[in-house]
């Protein structure tokens, strides 16, 4: 049955891919976005779609939407560590007031509420891989705290609305996701490495380069988000790819796949990345066992897709 879905943050990287998937299966999508890190080009191909509309609005201001709504998806938040330095107050505001406004909308519409939380709620984890039951190792005052604590608050207020108002909610914890439509200057590692490789610039390994991350390709990720939205689990539910790599291994793969002559260098850890987690890997037993979701795109294949997009953008 067609659903009418409000997608906050739908002009961003993940949101725009999820909008594609929802429209493909016949849903109606209303994007609400203030474009602070989102881009018109991410949704330009959808503007003429009969079941797609976009509302330019800051979700930290109260939101009203005409008509029936089946689900409210909260993906609105800057998410790159470089944003933590430039927009800490906006991140805290959107993770608190913004999420609350979207929860109020869901209550008013008797709609299901979906929160995009993050593996950052585990902080610099002392348990590896991270199951949903791990409570985390998070600094409440470091430069990452604006994001980590905002997301922890947004999880807490989502559960409070669930308990107080009986609101049906879903919480996912998204692990590092990469793919087409990421902003070339977003500062995240895969975009940095791909663009450095294509420009022939040094590939910057921060710190030792031995820290690990587990990268999920965006098409897999949004399938996982949809499985949680449609499924019975309140959550939190980890959604990510358990394939774990050091940043050095990632750099070597990007150089090889792009045919770049860029050197791989050690660079100082930028101050906004103080507390950079040493390791991160999702335990996906819950989502794979309960919802049958598994990622399918290997890192090399996802990197090829990103390198192809970036190459096309450079006009080579
Ligand atoms: P993104 O920056 O591309 O998308 C975020 C979107 O939210 C943007 O379009 C931005 O303009 C919008 N937005 C921000 N503040 C807003 C506000 N006040 N009002 C309205 N719109 C606002 O980032 P993304 O990578 O697509 O992340 C989407 C969501 O997923 C975020 O909530 C993020 O925390 C979460 N997440 C992403 C990752 C990842 O690896 N990409 C990992 C963990 C969690
Ligand atoms: N990183 C790096 N070089 C870069 C950008 C990032 O070595 O040019 C490292 C960063 O220190 C971190 C990892 O890559 O250990 C992932 O960084 P990203 O910003 O993608 O995500 P997050 O830190 O939020 O997992």
């Amino acid at each position: 049955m067609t659903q009418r879905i409000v997608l906050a943050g739908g002009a961003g990287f993940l949101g725009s891919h999820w909008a594609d998937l929802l429209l493909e299966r016949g849903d109606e999508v209303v994007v609400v976005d203030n474009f602070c890190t989102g881009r018109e080009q991410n949704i330009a191909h959808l503007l003429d779609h009969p079941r797609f509309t976009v509302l330019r609005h800051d979700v930290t201001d109260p939101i009203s939407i005409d008509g029936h709504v089946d689900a409210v998806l909260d993906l609105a938040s800057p998410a790159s560590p470089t944003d933590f330095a430039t927009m800490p107050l906006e991140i805290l505001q959107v993770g608190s007031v913004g999420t609350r406004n979207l929860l109020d909308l869901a209550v008013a519409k008797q709609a299901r509420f979906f929160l995009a939380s993050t593996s950052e709620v585990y902080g610099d984890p002392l348990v590896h891989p991270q199951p949903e039951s791990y409570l985390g190792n998070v600094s409440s005052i470091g430069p990452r705290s604006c994001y980590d604590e905002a997301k922890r608050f947004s999880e807490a207020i989502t559960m409070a609305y669930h308990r107080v108002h009986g609101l049906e909610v879903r919480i996912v914890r998204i692990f590092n996701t990469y793919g087409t439509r990421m902003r070339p200057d977003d500062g995240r590692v895969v975009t940095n490495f791909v663009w450095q490789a294509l420009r022939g610039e040094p590939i910057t390994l921060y710190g030792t380069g031995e820290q690990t991350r587990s990268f999920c390709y965006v098409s897999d990720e949004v399938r996982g988000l949809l499985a949680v939205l449609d499924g019975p689990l309140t959550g939190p539910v980890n959604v990510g790819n358990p394939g774990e790599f050091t940043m050095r291994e990632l750099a070597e793969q990007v150089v090889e796949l792009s045919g770049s002559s860029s050197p791989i260098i050690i660079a100082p850890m930028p101050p906004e990345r103080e507390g950079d987690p040493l390791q991160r890997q999702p335990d996906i037993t819950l989502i794979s066992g309960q919802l049958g979701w598994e990622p399918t795109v290997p890192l090399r294949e996802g990197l090829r897709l990103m390198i192809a997009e970036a190459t096309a953008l450079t006009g080579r």
Side-chain angles (χ1 to χ4, degrees):
M1 204 181 69
T2 298
Q3 296 192 53
R4 185 158 187 258
I5 292 184
V6 171
L7 175 48
F13 159 56
L14 271 172
S16 64
H17 281 280
W18 202 5
D20 289 345
L21 192 58
L22 292 166
L23 290 166
E24 259 167 51
R25 74 164 188 177
D27 288 344
E28 182 179 341
V29 176
V30 181
V31 161
V32 181
D33 204 298
N34 70 351
F35 292 84
C36 67
T37 55
R39 298 186 301 172
E40 283 174 8
Q41 68 199 74
N42 289 346
I43 50 169
H45 61 293
L46 301 177
L47 292 179
D48 291 333
H49 194 292
R51 283 182 277 105
F52 182 82
T53 46
V54 54
L55 180 64
R56 190 177 280 266
H57 180 83
D58 186 327
V59 298
T60 65
D61 295 326
I63 307 154
S64 94
I65 303 277
D66 288 338
H68 172 78
V69 173
D70 295 288
V72 176
L73 316 183
D74 181 3
L75 274 70
S77 174
S80 167
T82 53
D83 301 331
F84 305 168
T86 54
M87 291 190 270
L89 297 175
E90 290 86 343
I91 291 171
L92 282 158
Q93 187 79 353
V94 76
S96 52
V97 178
T99 294
R100 183 162 195 167
N101 285 334
L102 291 164
L103 283 160
D104 283 336
L105 177 67
V107 169
K109 299 289 179 181
Q110 296 181 298
R112 183 175 289 191
F113 180 81
F114 177 101
L115 176 68
S117 183
T118 170
S119 55
E120 282 280 330
V121 301
Y122 302 123
D124 190 2
L126 304 175
V127 170
H128 192 73
Q130 296 79 54
E132 289 85 353
S133 55
Y134 178 51
L135 297 181
N137 176 37
V138 177
S139 164
S140 59
I141 55 170
R144 305 179 83 94
S145 64
C146 58
Y147 183 69
D148 300 8
E149 295 291 14
K151 288 290 184 182
R152 289 174 73 94
F153 177 88
S154 59
E155 287 196 8
I157 194 170
T158 297
M159 290 310 296
Y161 268 65
H162 175 58
R163 293 187 185 108
V164 172
H165 296 289
L167 184 67
E168 207 184 332
V169 304
R170 303 286 181 268
I171 299 175
V172 292
R173 292 182 178 153
I174 299 171
F175 283 64
N176 296 66
T177 303
Y178 70 105
T180 56
R181 298 187 197 154
M182 294 181 87
R183 282 178 294 139
D185 61 349
D186 83 354
R188 291 186 262 197
V189 68
V190 184
T191 23
N192 272 10
F193 286 4
V194 164
W195 283 95
Q196 287 166 341
L198 291 185
R199 291 174 178 141
E201 296 166 358
I203 311 275
T204 51
L205 288 180
Y206 295 153
T208 63
E210 298 308 315
Q211 68 271 40
T212 69
R213 293 293 186 273
S214 306
F215 297 102
C216 189
Y217 193 68
V218 65
S219 56
D220 280 336
E221 186 69 37
V222 294
R223 266 195 312 107
L225 304 186
L226 190 58
V228 176
L229 175 68
D230 288 346
L233 301 173
T234 293
V237 182
N238 288 340
V239 188
N241 187 326
E244 185 184 12
F245 297 87
T246 66
M247 294 311 97
R248 185 177 295 281
E249 288 168 335
L250 175 70
E252 286 166 355
Q253 289 207 25
V254 170
V255 167
E256 181 206 324
L257 293 170
S258 60
S260 169
S261 54
S262 290
I264 298 172
I265 63 161
I266 292 285
M269 185 67 73
E272 70 274 13
R273 286 178 180 270
E274 179 199 313
D276 193 66
L278 284 178
Q279 54 182 2
R280 183 180 292 152
Q281 183 187 34
D283 178 332
I284 60 164
T285 310
L286 180 62
I287 188 169
S288 63
Q290 299 286 314
L291 303 178
W293 175 85
E294 303 266 358
T296 60
V297 181
L299 182 62
R300 292 177 75 80
E301 193 180 323
L303 290 177
R304 274 199 196 93
L305 293 167
M306 264 189 89
I307 291 165
E309 181 197 48
T311 305
L313 285 172
T314 59
R316 282 195 214 151

